[in-house]
Amino acid sequence: MQFKHVTLDFDGSVAILKLDHQEVMNAVSVDMLGGLAEALDAIEEKKDEVRCVVLTGAGRAFCTGANLQGRNNQSKKTKAGLTLETGFHPFLRRIRNLHCPIVTAVNGPAAGAGMSFALLGDMILCARSSYFLQAFRRIGLVPDCGSTWLLPRLIGRARSIELSLMGERLPAEKALEWGLVNRVYDDGVLMEEAMKLARELASGPTVALSLIRKLYWDSPENSFEDQLNLEFQCQLRAGDTQDFREGVGAFLEKRPAQFKGK
């Protein structure tokens, strides 16, 4: 399926969402944000079938941030940041609340907003040649798209501030060393490995996996008591699924579980 600067394909129970504006290295425009919204609508329409999403970029980049082309030629200047609330934030919130795990396959540069998009993955896989860049300071702006929330929780305050103040590239291997990403692969096998992982997740207990996502997303904002209560609520929901009954039965019968995502 083709949307504005976005491609969506389905491989069994895996949805492959691809940023696809190669002329600008997949920089994000208002049009692309609209395409992403439509693609997510299509995924949600197949909610019962789609059990994992892979987010990647077309061509040689993952995403190089906001598309600045033509900004200097606008007859009426728009304030920087206005599209955050109208375009970027709705997408980020929908990804956070996705009903299934998301794997990001970072196939090239992930800069600015693109870095945030990459870090939204539950599992973050990188091509060896890829890199991350907090590019905002290079054009006189501050980090956005949730990067000042995500980065300190992933790699700590000191490294986060350094990346943002200095605007230096963070290679994939260093990102792995810092604990920012999960795995690094040779460029030629990145998508193969991403799909292998996505299929494994898609064959799992989808309801429980979605609740695991919620627990870890909510954890940084909760007190210990709040988190205990949330675990309790989520466990009640997970324990009421067919997959839980199948998992216990498979364990007792010493056979592989056949989860249905229900």
Side-chain angles (χ1 to χ4, degrees):
M1 303 173 72
Q2 190 69 48
F3 303 97
K4 194 67 174 179
H5 304 318
V6 174
T7 302
L8 176 64
D9 294 304
F10 296 98
D11 184 333
S13 53
V14 177
I16 305 158
L17 182 58
K18 187 175 293 186
L19 310 177
D20 195 357
H21 194 183
Q22 297 181 50
E23 296 85 352
V24 291
M25 297 182 73
N26 303 328
V28 186
S29 61
V30 172
D31 284 343
M32 180 184 281
L33 289 168
L36 285 167
E38 291 183 90
L40 287 178
D41 288 342
I43 289 172
E44 289 177 4
E45 287 174 6
K46 293 177 172 285
K47 185 176 180 179
D48 291 339
E49 302 169 38
V50 175
R51 298 170 64 184
C52 188
V53 173
V54 174
L55 175 63
T56 191
R60 59 194 182 92
F62 177 78
C63 174
T64 53
N67 189 343
L68 301 177
Q69 285 197 356
R71 186 168 181 84
N72 287 338
N73 300 322
Q74 292 174 347
S75 57
K76 183 178 179 180
K77 299 295 183 182
T78 56
K79 290 186 177 180
L82 288 182
T83 55
L84 288 174
E85 270 299 291
T86 58
F88 285 92
H89 291 177
F91 171 70
L92 296 169
R93 292 182 180 114
R94 290 183 74 177
I95 289 293
R96 168 172 178 163
N97 295 315
L98 202 64
H99 71 280
C100 62
I102 178 169
V103 175
T104 46
V106 186
N107 57 303
M115 182 171 178
S116 294
F117 285 13
L119 297 181
L120 288 171
D122 302 302
M123 294 290 291
I124 306 166
L125 279 53
C126 295
R128 206 168 301 279
S129 67
S130 67
Y131 62 86
F132 297 92
L133 178 65
Q134 284 288 287
F136 303 95
R137 59 96 67 207
R138 297 189 176 195
I139 56 171
L141 289 179
V142 302
D144 59 25
C145 288
S147 57
T148 60
W149 188 93
L150 289 163
L151 282 171
R153 289 163 171 79
L154 292 171
I155 58 174
R157 180 178 181 274
R159 285 172 170 166
S160 301
I161 291 179
E162 180 179 353
L163 286 176
S164 300
L165 289 181
M166 303 307 295
E168 297 172 342
R169 292 184 181 187
L170 179 66
E173 295 280 8
K174 180 63 71 172
L176 180 64
E177 180 184 322
W178 283 8
L180 187 66
V181 305
N182 297 97
R183 301 174 189 178
V184 174
Y185 295 104
D186 290 338
D187 292 26
V189 300
L190 173 66
M191 279 306 296
E192 177 186 342
E193 293 294 337
M195 289 303 298
K196 186 187 301 182
L197 175 60
R199 291 187 188 104
E200 181 178 342
L201 290 169
S203 67
T206 311
V207 175
L209 299 185
S210 71
L211 293 171
I212 290 171
R213 295 187 79 238
K214 176 177 175 56
L215 284 165
Y216 281 105
W217 269 108
D218 290 357
S219 174
E221 300 170 347
N222 284 343
S223 68
F224 181 63
E225 287 299 323
D226 289 337
Q227 196 67 11
L228 289 179
N229 290 331
L230 184 59
E231 288 177 350
F232 169 65
Q233 294 162 15
C234 290
Q235 200 68 291
L236 288 178
R237 288 180 59 192
D240 198 35
T241 61
Q242 295 177 26
D243 280 344
F244 169 64
R245 292 188 286 276
E246 164 62 13
V248 172
F251 174 79
L252 294 175
E253 296 165 18
K254 296 181 173 56
R255 59 172 174 80
Q258 299 295 319
F259 296 117
K260 303 297 183 184
K262 299 178 182 179

PDB file of all heavy atoms in Angstrom, residues 121-148:
ATOM      1  N   GLY A 121      11.117   2.204  19.049  1.00  0.00           N
ATOM      2  CA  GLY A 121      10.998   0.759  18.902  1.00  0.00           C
ATOM      3  C   GLY A 121      11.159   0.029  20.222  1.00  0.00           C
ATOM      4  O   GLY A 121      11.941   0.434  21.093  1.00  0.00           O
ATOM      5  N   ASP A 122      10.413  -1.041  20.365  1.00  0.00           N
ATOM      6  CA  ASP A 122      10.606  -1.912  21.535  1.00  0.00           C
ATOM      7  C   ASP A 122      11.897  -2.690  21.386  1.00  0.00           C
ATOM      8  O   ASP A 122      12.566  -3.002  22.369  1.00  0.00           O
ATOM      9  CB  ASP A 122       9.424  -2.867  21.668  1.00  0.00           C
ATOM     10  CG  ASP A 122       8.111  -2.126  21.799  1.00  0.00           C
ATOM     11  OD1 ASP A 122       7.980  -1.331  22.742  1.00  0.00           O
ATOM     12  OD2 ASP A 122       7.238  -2.313  20.945  1.00  0.00           O
ATOM     13  N   MET A 123      12.226  -3.019  20.154  1.00  0.00           N
ATOM     14  CA  MET A 123      13.518  -3.615  19.813  1.00  0.00           C
ATOM     15  C   MET A 123      14.115  -2.752  18.714  1.00  0.00           C
ATOM     16  O   MET A 123      13.478  -2.519  17.688  1.00  0.00           O
ATOM     17  CB  MET A 123      13.352  -5.059  19.346  1.00  0.00           C
ATOM     18  CG  MET A 123      12.852  -6.013  20.409  1.00  0.00           C
ATOM     19  SD  MET A 123      14.086  -6.334  21.712  1.00  0.00           S
ATOM     20  CE  MET A 123      15.305  -7.293  20.809  1.00  0.00           C
ATOM     21  N   ILE A 124      15.335  -2.266  18.930  1.00  0.00           N
ATOM     22  CA  ILE A 124      15.973  -1.354  17.988  1.00  0.00           C
ATOM     23  C   ILE A 124      17.166  -2.065  17.360  1.00  0.00           C
ATOM     24  O   ILE A 124      18.148  -2.367  18.044  1.00  0.00           O
ATOM     25  CB  ILE A 124      16.427  -0.060  18.701  1.00  0.00           C
ATOM     26  CG1 ILE A 124      15.253   0.576  19.437  1.00  0.00           C
ATOM     27  CG2 ILE A 124      17.031   0.924  17.691  1.00  0.00           C
ATOM     28  CD1 ILE A 124      15.669   1.654  20.435  1.00  0.00           C
ATOM     29  N   LEU A 125      17.052  -2.325  16.061  1.00  0.00           N
ATOM     30  CA  LEU A 125      18.102  -3.014  15.315  1.00  0.00           C
ATOM     31  C   LEU A 125      18.749  -2.020  14.364  1.00  0.00           C
ATOM     32  O   LEU A 125      18.058  -1.208  13.747  1.00  0.00           O
ATOM     33  CB  LEU A 125      17.526  -4.186  14.524  1.00  0.00           C
ATOM     34  CG  LEU A 125      17.261  -5.505  15.268  1.00  0.00           C
ATOM     35  CD1 LEU A 125      16.419  -5.307  16.504  1.00  0.00           C
ATOM     36  CD2 LEU A 125      16.604  -6.515  14.330  1.00  0.00           C
ATOM     37  N   CYS A 126      20.066  -2.081  14.227  1.00  0.00           N
ATOM     38  CA  CYS A 126      20.786  -1.110  13.410  1.00  0.00           C
ATOM     39  C   CYS A 126      21.689  -1.782  12.394  1.00  0.00           C
ATOM     40  O   CYS A 126      22.312  -2.815  12.675  1.00  0.00           O
ATOM     41  CB  CYS A 126      21.669  -0.212  14.284  1.00  0.00           C
ATOM     42  SG  CYS A 126      20.768   0.839  15.415  1.00  0.00           S
ATOM     43  N   ALA A 127      21.783  -1.158  11.220  1.00  0.00           N
ATOM     44  CA  ALA A 127      22.826  -1.515  10.265  1.00  0.00           C
ATOM     45  C   ALA A 127      24.151  -0.987  10.798  1.00  0.00           C
ATOM     46  O   ALA A 127      24.204   0.054  11.460  1.00  0.00           O
ATOM     47  CB  ALA A 127      22.528  -0.907   8.899  1.00  0.00           C
ATOM     48  N   ARG A 128      25.211  -1.706  10.515  1.00  0.00           N
ATOM     49  CA  ARG A 128      26.514  -1.333  11.055  1.00  0.00           C
ATOM     50  C   ARG A 128      26.950   0.070  10.605  1.00  0.00           C
ATOM     51  O   ARG A 128      27.647   0.772  11.329  1.00  0.00           O
ATOM     52  CB  ARG A 128      27.560  -2.376  10.657  1.00  0.00           C
ATOM     53  CG  ARG A 128      28.748  -2.454  11.620  1.00  0.00           C
ATOM     54  CD  ARG A 128      29.596  -3.677  11.349  1.00  0.00           C
ATOM     55  NE  ARG A 128      28.855  -4.924  11.470  1.00  0.00           N
ATOM     56  CZ  ARG A 128      28.589  -5.521  12.637  1.00  0.00           C
ATOM     57  NH1 ARG A 128      29.002  -4.963  13.763  1.00  0.00           N
ATOM     58  NH2 ARG A 128      27.919  -6.660  12.665  1.00  0.00           N
ATOM     59  N   SER A 129      26.517   0.483   9.423  1.00  0.00           N
ATOM     60  CA  SER A 129      26.916   1.796   8.905  1.00  0.00           C
ATOM     61  C   SER A 129      26.021   2.929   9.396  1.00  0.00           C
ATOM     62  O   SER A 129      26.291   4.097   9.116  1.00  0.00           O
ATOM     63  CB  SER A 129      26.882   1.786   7.367  1.00  0.00           C
ATOM     64  OG  SER A 129      25.551   1.655   6.902  1.00  0.00           O
ATOM     65  N   SER A 130      24.955   2.608  10.111  1.00  0.00           N
ATOM     66  CA  SER A 130      24.011   3.644  10.536  1.00  0.00           C
ATOM     67  C   SER A 130      24.579   4.465  11.690  1.00  0.00           C
ATOM     68  O   SER A 130      25.550   4.060  12.354  1.00  0.00           O
ATOM     69  CB  SER A 130      22.679   3.010  10.943  1.00  0.00           C
ATOM     70  OG  SER A 130      22.834   2.227  12.113  1.00  0.00           O
ATOM     71  N   TYR A 131      23.973   5.601  11.912  1.00  0.00           N
ATOM     72  CA  TYR A 131      24.379   6.437  13.044  1.00  0.00           C
ATOM     73  C   TYR A 131      23.204   7.279  13.501  1.00  0.00           C
ATOM     74  O   TYR A 131      22.210   7.460  12.786  1.00  0.00           O
ATOM     75  CB  TYR A 131      25.568   7.326  12.684  1.00  0.00           C
ATOM     76  CG  TYR A 131      25.319   8.328  11.580  1.00  0.00           C
ATOM     77  CD1 TYR A 131      24.761   9.582  11.857  1.00  0.00           C
ATOM     78  CD2 TYR A 131      25.658   8.047  10.266  1.00  0.00           C
ATOM     79  CE1 TYR A 131      24.537  10.502  10.847  1.00  0.00           C
ATOM     80  CE2 TYR A 131      25.434   8.954   9.246  1.00  0.00           C
ATOM     81  CZ  TYR A 131      24.878  10.189   9.548  1.00  0.00           C
ATOM     82  OH  TYR A 131      24.645  11.097   8.541  1.00  0.00           O
ATOM     83  N   PHE A 132      23.331   7.813  14.714  1.00  0.00           N
ATOM     84  CA  PHE A 132      22.318   8.695  15.301  1.00  0.00           C
ATOM     85  C   PHE A 132      22.904  10.093  15.434  1.00  0.00           C
ATOM     86  O   PHE A 132      24.103  10.269  15.621  1.00  0.00           O
ATOM     87  CB  PHE A 132      21.888   8.173  16.675  1.00  0.00           C
ATOM     88  CG  PHE A 132      21.227   6.826  16.620  1.00  0.00           C
ATOM     89  CD1 PHE A 132      21.972   5.659  16.774  1.00  0.00           C
ATOM     90  CD2 PHE A 132      19.867   6.711  16.404  1.00  0.00           C
ATOM     91  CE1 PHE A 132      21.377   4.412  16.718  1.00  0.00           C
ATOM     92  CE2 PHE A 132      19.250   5.465  16.339  1.00  0.00           C
ATOM     93  CZ  PHE A 132      20.008   4.316  16.494  1.00  0.00           C
ATOM     94  N   LEU A 133      22.016  11.088  15.359  1.00  0.00           N
ATOM     95  CA  LEU A 133      22.485  12.467  15.420  1.00  0.00           C
ATOM     96  C   LEU A 133      21.401  13.359  16.002  1.00  0.00           C
ATOM     97  O   LEU A 133      20.288  13.427  15.470  1.00  0.00           O
ATOM     98  CB  LEU A 133      22.859  12.960  14.011  1.00  0.00           C
ATOM     99  CG  LEU A 133      23.337  14.409  13.894  1.00  0.00           C
ATOM    100  CD1 LEU A 133      24.658  14.605  14.627  1.00  0.00           C
ATOM    101  CD2 LEU A 133      23.483  14.793  12.417  1.00  0.00           C
ATOM    102  N   GLN A 134      21.726  14.022  17.101  1.00  0.00           N
ATOM    103  CA  GLN A 134      20.864  15.070  17.628  1.00  0.00           C
ATOM    104  C   GLN A 134      21.218  16.360  16.877  1.00  0.00           C
ATOM    105  O   GLN A 134      22.067  17.144  17.317  1.00  0.00           O
ATOM    106  CB  GLN A 134      21.077  15.223  19.128  1.00  0.00           C
ATOM    107  CG  GLN A 134      20.432  14.150  19.973  1.00  0.00           C
ATOM    108  CD  GLN A 134      18.926  14.302  20.020  1.00  0.00           C
ATOM    109  OE1 GLN A 134      18.392  15.201  20.680  1.00  0.00           O
ATOM    110  NE2 GLN A 134      18.210  13.431  19.323  1.00  0.00           N
ATOM    111  N   ALA A 135      20.565  16.557  15.767  1.00  0.00           N
ATOM    112  CA  ALA A 135      20.994  17.592  14.811  1.00  0.00           C
ATOM    113  C   ALA A 135      20.453  18.987  15.117  1.00  0.00           C
ATOM    114  O   ALA A 135      20.825  19.952  14.438  1.00  0.00           O
ATOM    115  CB  ALA A 135      20.546  17.181  13.405  1.00  0.00           C
ATOM    116  N   PHE A 136      19.621  19.121  16.109  1.00  0.00           N
ATOM    117  CA  PHE A 136      18.887  20.367  16.324  1.00  0.00           C
ATOM    118  C   PHE A 136      19.799  21.576  16.510  1.00  0.00           C
ATOM    119  O   PHE A 136      19.547  22.654  15.968  1.00  0.00           O
ATOM    120  CB  PHE A 136      17.958  20.219  17.537  1.00  0.00           C
ATOM    121  CG  PHE A 136      16.994  19.074  17.415  1.00  0.00           C
ATOM    122  CD1 PHE A 136      17.285  17.834  17.966  1.00  0.00           C
ATOM    123  CD2 PHE A 136      15.799  19.231  16.742  1.00  0.00           C
ATOM    124  CE1 PHE A 136      16.395  16.777  17.848  1.00  0.00           C
ATOM    125  CE2 PHE A 136      14.905  18.187  16.620  1.00  0.00           C
ATOM    126  CZ  PHE A 136      15.203  16.954  17.176  1.00  0.00           C
ATOM    127  N   ARG A 137      20.860  21.420  17.292  1.00  0.00           N
ATOM    128  CA  ARG A 137      21.729  22.559  17.589  1.00  0.00           C
ATOM    129  C   ARG A 137      22.388  23.099  16.326  1.00  0.00           C
ATOM    130  O   ARG A 137      22.766  24.265  16.260  1.00  0.00           O
ATOM    131  CB  ARG A 137      22.768  22.188  18.642  1.00  0.00           C
ATOM    132  CG  ARG A 137      23.696  21.030  18.290  1.00  0.00           C
ATOM    133  CD  ARG A 137      25.017  21.452  17.714  1.00  0.00           C
ATOM    134  NE  ARG A 137      25.843  22.153  18.672  1.00  0.00           N
ATOM    135  CZ  ARG A 137      26.762  23.037  18.339  1.00  0.00           C
ATOM    136  NH1 ARG A 137      26.986  23.311  17.052  1.00  0.00           N
ATOM    137  NH2 ARG A 137      27.486  23.637  19.262  1.00  0.00           N
ATOM    138  N   ARG A 138      22.474  22.259  15.286  1.00  0.00           N
ATOM    139  CA  ARG A 138      23.104  22.691  14.040  1.00  0.00           C
ATOM    140  C   ARG A 138      22.276  23.735  13.304  1.00  0.00           C
ATOM    141  O   ARG A 138      22.801  24.464  12.463  1.00  0.00           O
ATOM    142  CB  ARG A 138      23.347  21.489  13.124  1.00  0.00           C
ATOM    143  CG  ARG A 138      24.320  20.473  13.710  1.00  0.00           C
ATOM    144  CD  ARG A 138      24.697  19.415  12.709  1.00  0.00           C
ATOM    145  NE  ARG A 138      25.703  18.500  13.243  1.00  0.00           N
ATOM    146  CZ  ARG A 138      26.422  17.669  12.504  1.00  0.00           C
ATOM    147  NH1 ARG A 138      26.248  17.630  11.186  1.00  0.00           N
ATOM    148  NH2 ARG A 138      27.312  16.863  13.062  1.00  0.00           N
ATOM    149  N   ILE A 139      20.973  23.807  13.596  1.00  0.00           N
ATOM    150  CA  ILE A 139      20.127  24.820  12.968  1.00  0.00           C
ATOM    151  C   ILE A 139      19.508  25.760  14.007  1.00  0.00           C
ATOM    152  O   ILE A 139      18.533  26.460  13.725  1.00  0.00           O
ATOM    153  CB  ILE A 139      19.026  24.175  12.104  1.00  0.00           C
ATOM    154  CG1 ILE A 139      18.181  23.194  12.930  1.00  0.00           C
ATOM    155  CG2 ILE A 139      19.639  23.472  10.902  1.00  0.00           C
ATOM    156  CD1 ILE A 139      16.946  22.697  12.192  1.00  0.00           C
ATOM    157  N   GLY A 140      20.053  25.731  15.219  1.00  0.00           N
ATOM    158  CA  GLY A 140      19.595  26.673  16.234  1.00  0.00           C
ATOM    159  C   GLY A 140      18.282  26.323  16.893  1.00  0.00           C
ATOM    160  O   GLY A 140      17.549  27.213  17.343  1.00  0.00           O
ATOM    161  N   LEU A 141      17.977  25.035  16.981  1.00  0.00           N
ATOM    162  CA  LEU A 141      16.749  24.601  17.642  1.00  0.00           C
ATOM    163  C   LEU A 141      17.071  23.675  18.809  1.00  0.00           C
ATOM    164  O   LEU A 141      18.222  23.284  19.005  1.00  0.00           O
ATOM    165  CB  LEU A 141      15.840  23.865  16.642  1.00  0.00           C
ATOM    166  CG  LEU A 141      15.187  24.723  15.564  1.00  0.00           C
ATOM    167  CD1 LEU A 141      14.348  23.854  14.629  1.00  0.00           C
ATOM    168  CD2 LEU A 141      14.315  25.819  16.172  1.00  0.00           C
ATOM    169  N   VAL A 142      16.045  23.337  19.572  1.00  0.00           N
ATOM    170  CA  VAL A 142      16.207  22.428  20.710  1.00  0.00           C
ATOM    171  C   VAL A 142      15.684  21.049  20.326  1.00  0.00           C
ATOM    172  O   VAL A 142      14.858  20.916  19.414  1.00  0.00           O
ATOM    173  CB  VAL A 142      15.442  22.937  21.955  1.00  0.00           C
ATOM    174  CG1 VAL A 142      15.925  24.324  22.333  1.00  0.00           C
ATOM    175  CG2 VAL A 142      13.929  22.939  21.713  1.00  0.00           C
ATOM    176  N   PRO A 143      16.151  20.000  20.992  1.00  0.00           N
ATOM    177  CA  PRO A 143      15.652  18.657  20.710  1.00  0.00           C
ATOM    178  C   PRO A 143      14.145  18.570  20.940  1.00  0.00           C
ATOM    179  O   PRO A 143      13.606  19.199  21.860  1.00  0.00           O
ATOM    180  CB  PRO A 143      16.414  17.776  21.699  1.00  0.00           C
ATOM    181  CG  PRO A 143      17.646  18.553  22.022  1.00  0.00           C
ATOM    182  CD  PRO A 143      17.228  19.984  22.000  1.00  0.00           C
ATOM    183  N   ASP A 144      13.471  17.790  20.099  1.00  0.00           N
ATOM    184  CA  ASP A 144      12.028  17.623  20.262  1.00  0.00           C
ATOM    185  C   ASP A 144      11.632  16.195  19.944  1.00  0.00           C
ATOM    186  O   ASP A 144      12.464  15.284  19.944  1.00  0.00           O
ATOM    187  CB  ASP A 144      11.253  18.648  19.411  1.00  0.00           C
ATOM    188  CG  ASP A 144      11.560  18.558  17.921  1.00  0.00           C
ATOM    189  OD1 ASP A 144      11.962  17.476  17.447  1.00  0.00           O
ATOM    190  OD2 ASP A 144      11.393  19.579  17.215  1.00  0.00           O
ATOM    191  N   CYS A 145      10.350  15.979  19.677  1.00  0.00           N
ATOM    192  CA  CYS A 145       9.802  14.640  19.395  1.00  0.00           C
ATOM    193  C   CYS A 145      10.115  13.639  20.508  1.00  0.00           C
ATOM    194  O   CYS A 145      10.326  12.449  20.255  1.00  0.00           O
ATOM    195  CB  CYS A 145      10.298  14.127  18.047  1.00  0.00           C
ATOM    196  SG  CYS A 145       9.556  14.994  16.651  1.00  0.00           S
ATOM    197  N   GLY A 146      10.170  14.145  21.732  1.00  0.00           N
ATOM    198  CA  GLY A 146      10.354  13.267  22.886  1.00  0.00           C
ATOM    199  C   GLY A 146      11.780  12.869  23.177  1.00  0.00           C
ATOM    200  O   GLY A 146      12.031  12.096  24.115  1.00  0.00           O
ATOM    201  N   SER A 147      12.744  13.406  22.427  1.00  0.00           N
ATOM    202  CA  SER A 147      14.124  12.954  22.626  1.00  0.00           C
ATOM    203  C   SER A 147      14.667  13.323  24.002  1.00  0.00           C
ATOM    204  O   SER A 147      15.470  12.573  24.569  1.00  0.00           O
ATOM    205  CB  SER A 147      15.041  13.507  21.529  1.00  0.00           C
ATOM    206  OG  SER A 147      15.004  14.902  21.484  1.00  0.00           O
ATOM    207  N   THR A 148      14.235  14.451  24.575  1.00  0.00           N
ATOM    208  CA  THR A 148      14.743  14.824  25.906  1.00  0.00           C
ATOM    209  C   THR A 148      14.091  13.989  27.009  1.00  0.00           C
ATOM    210  O   THR A 148      14.542  14.033  28.156  1.00  0.00           O
ATOM    211  CB  THR A 148      14.517  16.323  26.186  1.00  0.00           C
ATOM    212  OG1 THR A 148      13.119  16.632  26.133  1.00  0.00           O
ATOM    213  CG2 THR A 148      15.267  17.179  25.186  1.00  0.00           C
TER     214      THR A 148
END
